[in-house]
Amino acid sequence: MRRFVVGLLATIGAITLLLAGVGVYFAARGPFATRSLPSSMVLSLDLRSLPPETVSSDVLSSLWAGSSQDIVDTVQALWRAADDPRVSGLYVEIGDEDAGLARVQELREAIQRFRGKGKFVIGFAESLGSSGDHFSDYYLASALDRIWLQPSGGFGVAGLAIETPFVKAGLDKLGVRMEGGKRYEYKSAPDTFTETAMTAPARENLQQLIDALYGQFIEDVSRERHIAPAKLRQLIDSTPFDSERARTEGLVDKIGYRADAMDDVWQRAGKTHDLVSLSDYSDEDRRPKPRGDVIALVRVSGTIVSGPGSDTPLDDDLQAASDDIVDALDAAAQSKDVKAIVLRIDSPGGTYPAADAIADGVARARAAGKPVIVSMGDVAASGGYLAAVRADVIVAEPSTITGSIGVFGMWPVAMPDLLNTLGIKVDRLTAGANAGMFSSFHLPNAAQRAAIGRQLDAIYADFAHQVGEARQLDATRLDLAARGRVFGGVDARRAGLIDELGGLQLAFSIAKAKAGIDESKTIDVQRFPQDNDRLQRVIDRLSRLANVATNGPEMRPPRELRDLLRRLGISAHAGNVRLPPMPPLWH
């Protein structure tokens, strides 16, 4: 009885909190909230933290935040503002040195279009020096009309580096061995656990990748800042130096403080203007309006996993759950209003069956008569690439990391010396020759290793076959594009893995053309799953929580321990800790 009462109260409290959050959302941020914008304005955009691919992994948080913007919202708002006569300029706060380069390029393109409409863009950076490499934030800043840098900020923009820790020697000392395998030599993710240094193929591939990305930076910045490429390379190689030298070398335009930059903004505006955040500007567009032709936007963001997503009631866990994505694709394909689908992918991969299920969902949407255009974000590799491969057109930014056509699977095994040192004895009973093949306490035998190898070979062969068939690559081109290699967008297009270089707006433009929508017409971008579907998922999870509260959960370790174990790929139930069957994983 006590368990029932506690569970009932917990459920009522959770539902009350949810309803309160929904009420706040619709009262303060919803489509019918009253807001009026001035007849002339300058927009402000804080890019000290770049907009993420998704605003929140937490359904309730996203409802509560309301106007929090992801990269899609931000780019679309900038495109609208470029054509809005009320908007004369944009003020940008600069400072996210860890931003993904593809999102930086998305914003650069939107800002350049904004400038191309005769509008100014002024940015302020408190620092481009002191610590960090400041590669991403300066790359973004270089697209602006004018860069203000604080006198004490300094300039320390450096190049690109990849640092990979190798822990095999440490695991050996601990008495832990990683079992499994990979296909093939360029698939470098598992090397952290199985090698003591970069292999020659991995070094070759990754050096090619960062050389290509750095070359894009040099080309774009030298063009925008009117500095010869050789001179720019020389300046980057001589950093750090002070703000004044950055100004005299043409890397920034003005030295001053935030107030000085704002004075510059109002001088450029030419008359009295109001400063309006891009978020508030976007809120105006959420009011009911006549609908145009509908293009569906479906997201694949995070690690691709099988099933319907997180079991926790309010948290989506930054995972791309295949069930949810396939349902969204099916719903968009079946909707009479939807003319085309844009599939936005930002994922390093995941389990093979989950990624394959999404690829099948794409194929079925196309078979239903809906063009599917893929827009790739910072990364669309391995399973993230497989999810894209059956689309009509694949669009990626020049700096999107893609490819990684390969597979690996591994799990840790505690060696006898470690178990003896810890005083642990593991008794074993089996029924079946391969029972316990993926044990964390016993090494697989030769026959079992051979079976695992055959599984990896089969998965790789199927993955490569799907890519070759969908992308019409012959065996030679396919082999040069596969074996675990990763590419930037430019090299991926040369390899035949993508079709076009660009961002979301190019993907929407292609979708319009494929659907027969006039380029000049405004489209209505609708996200699938829609907000009411997200809310229903919250209610379903709360119902499961109420069922557990009233009927009693199984005995499980504390949530904190379960979360830690889950991140390590370990499941824990009823006091037993075990590794799941080895899933082929991508990275």
Side-chain angles (χ1 to χ4, degrees):
M1 182 65 182
R2 180 176 178 274
R3 176 183 291 167
F4 173 80
V5 173
V6 171
L8 181 61
L9 290 175
T11 303
I12 292 172
I15 294 174
T16 301
L17 179 62
L18 173 65
L19 294 176
V22 173
V24 170
Y25 169 70
F26 282 106
R29 303 291 188 181
F32 300 104
T34 56
R35 293 183 187 84
S36 59
L37 293 178
S39 59
S40 59
M41 63 188 127
V42 174
L43 300 181
S44 66
L45 178 58
D46 191 339
L47 294 179
R48 287 171 292 186
S49 179
L50 251 64
E53 275 294 325
T54 55
V55 293
S56 176
S57 62
D58 183 314
V59 177
L60 181 57
S61 294
S62 65
L63 289 173
W64 193 282
S67 63
S68 297
Q69 291 188 303
D70 59 26
I71 190 67
V72 177
D73 296 324
T74 303
V75 168
Q76 289 190 303
L78 287 171
W79 274 62
R80 288 195 300 272
D83 298 320
D84 190 338
R86 299 173 300 170
V87 178
S88 62
L90 175 68
Y91 169 71
V92 179
E93 291 275 1
I94 303 160
D96 189 347
E97 61 180 283
D98 298 318
L101 293 181
R103 279 179 296 144
V104 168
Q105 288 181 327
E106 292 265 13
L107 290 167
R108 281 177 55 88
E109 292 162 11
I111 288 170
Q112 286 165 340
R113 182 178 183 275
F114 187 92
R115 291 176 57 190
K117 297 289 185 173
K119 303 183 180 189
F120 68 85
V121 185
I122 293 175
F124 171 78
E126 193 172 87
S127 176
L128 289 169
S130 65
S131 62
D133 60 29
H134 291 281
F135 191 84
S136 296
D137 49 353
Y138 184 67
Y139 190 21
L140 178 60
S142 67
L144 312 184
D145 282 303
R146 186 170 294 174
I147 306 170
W148 281 81
L149 179 60
Q150 191 162 297
S152 55
F155 190 89
V157 178
L160 281 175
I162 292 177
E163 293 182 319
T164 304
F166 292 90
V167 301
K168 181 180 183 300
L171 293 176
D172 289 343
K173 290 180 180 179
L174 291 172
V176 176
R177 175 171 171 174
M178 299 301 295
E179 280 291 334
K182 67 175 185 177
R183 298 295 184 271
Y184 277 102
E185 67 272 23
Y186 295 98
K187 196 74 174 179
S188 60
D191 294 352
T192 288
F193 304 99
T194 60
E195 305 288 342
T196 57
M198 280 189 188
T199 64
R203 185 177 295 276
E204 168 203 337
N205 186 210
L206 295 177
Q207 187 65 57
Q208 181 183 33
L209 174 65
I210 62 173
D211 285 346
L213 298 179
Y214 189 52
Q216 291 172 31
F217 171 90
I218 294 294
E219 179 182 349
D220 293 342
V221 174
S222 64
R223 181 182 63 251
E224 296 292 340
R225 300 302 303 173
H226 307 291
I227 302 172
K231 175 66 172 176
L232 179 59
R233 287 180 183 271
Q234 182 184 37
L235 288 170
I236 297 299
D237 289 343
S238 64
T239 58
F241 42 73
D242 61 28
S243 298
E244 183 56 35
R245 183 181 173 191
R247 187 192 65 79
T248 58
E249 297 285 6
L251 295 165
V252 302
D253 300 289
K254 296 286 185 179
I255 305 300
Y257 293 88
R258 185 174 281 103
D260 300 314
M262 287 307 306
D263 287 343
D264 191 16
V265 166
W266 300 128
Q267 288 181 1
R268 291 289 297 273
K271 57 183 178 179
T272 301
H273 278 69
D274 288 304
L275 190 67
V276 176
S277 73
L278 190 71
S279 176
D280 286 343
Y281 177 78
S282 298
D283 284 345
E284 181 189 52
D285 192 64
R286 295 191 179 109
R287 295 178 182 178
K289 57 185 181 298
R291 290 173 55 183
D293 290 310
V294 175
I295 291 182
L297 176 65
V298 179
R299 315 291 282 272
V300 181
S301 183
T303 304
I304 298 172
V305 297
S306 296
S310 172
D311 288 332
T312 56
L314 301 176
D315 189 4
D316 281 336
D317 253 0
L318 292 180
Q319 293 179 336
S322 61
D323 283 12
D324 293 344
I325 295 164
V326 170
D327 287 348
L329 287 167
D330 287 346
Q334 294 163 12
S335 171
K336 294 180 180 179
D337 294 331
V338 171
K339 305 300 182 184
I341 300 169
V342 170
L343 182 65
R344 174 71 172 186
I345 299 177
D346 187 72
S347 171
T351 62
Y352 183 81
D356 188 38
I358 297 171
D360 178 67
V362 170
R364 285 187 290 104
R366 291 182 63 192
K370 302 295 169 72
V372 180
I373 314 302
V374 164
S375 169
M376 292 179 168
D378 288 331
V379 58
S382 219
Y385 180 70
L386 177 59
V389 77
R390 300 193 206 177
D392 290 272
V393 180
I394 301 176
V395 179
E397 289 288 359
S399 63
T400 297
I401 297 173
T402 190
S404 195
I405 300 167
V407 60
F408 74 88
M410 60 173 49
W411 73 99
V413 178
M415 301 298 286
D417 288 347
L418 172 60
L419 297 176
N420 292 336
T421 299
L422 297 174
I424 296 173
K425 180 183 178 181
V426 180
D427 274 344
R428 189 181 203 195
L429 298 173
T430 64
N434 288 326
M437 181 188 297
F438 305 115
S439 169
S440 55
F441 303 110
H442 294 273
L443 294 171
N445 60 37
Q448 291 168 343
R449 286 198 178 98
I452 293 166
R454 291 193 296 272
Q455 182 185 31
L456 293 172
D457 288 338
I459 292 169
Y460 178 81
D462 186 65
F463 190 0
H465 173 74
Q466 289 199 47
V467 174
E469 186 176 67
R471 301 299 304 171
Q472 299 182 338
L473 301 177
D474 61 34
T476 301
R477 287 196 75 193
L478 178 61
D479 194 61
L480 291 173
R483 305 187 72 87
R485 292 178 179 88
V486 291
F487 302 93
V490 175
D491 289 333
R493 185 170 65 169
R494 292 194 189 105
L497 298 181
I498 69 166
D499 299 293
E500 301 288 346
L501 293 173
L504 279 160
Q505 295 304 317
L506 176 59
F508 284 128
S509 179
I510 294 171
K512 289 170 71 172
K514 290 284 186 182
I517 302 171
D518 189 279
E519 177 62 29
S520 63
K521 286 189 176 180
T522 301
I523 56 171
D524 179 11
V525 177
Q526 292 188 11
R527 301 183 184 220
F528 284 72
Q530 296 176 337
D531 286 340
N532 59 335
D533 296 326
R534 287 169 60 82
L535 184 58
Q536 183 61 50
R537 292 207 305 274
V538 175
I539 294 171
D540 291 342
R541 291 173 187 174
L542 285 170
S543 298
R544 291 200 297 270
L545 178 64
N547 182 63
V548 169
T550 55
N551 296 324
E554 62 177 323
M555 294 300 295
R556 307 176 75 185
R559 176 177 177 177
E560 292 78 7
L561 177 58
R562 286 188 282 115
D563 288 344
L564 175 61
L565 293 173
R566 187 182 68 226
R567 295 177 193 280
L568 296 174
I570 301 170
S571 60
H573 296 280
N576 296 318
V577 177
R578 62 177 176 83
L579 281 164
M582 181 188 71
L585 297 177
W586 288 298
H587 182 79

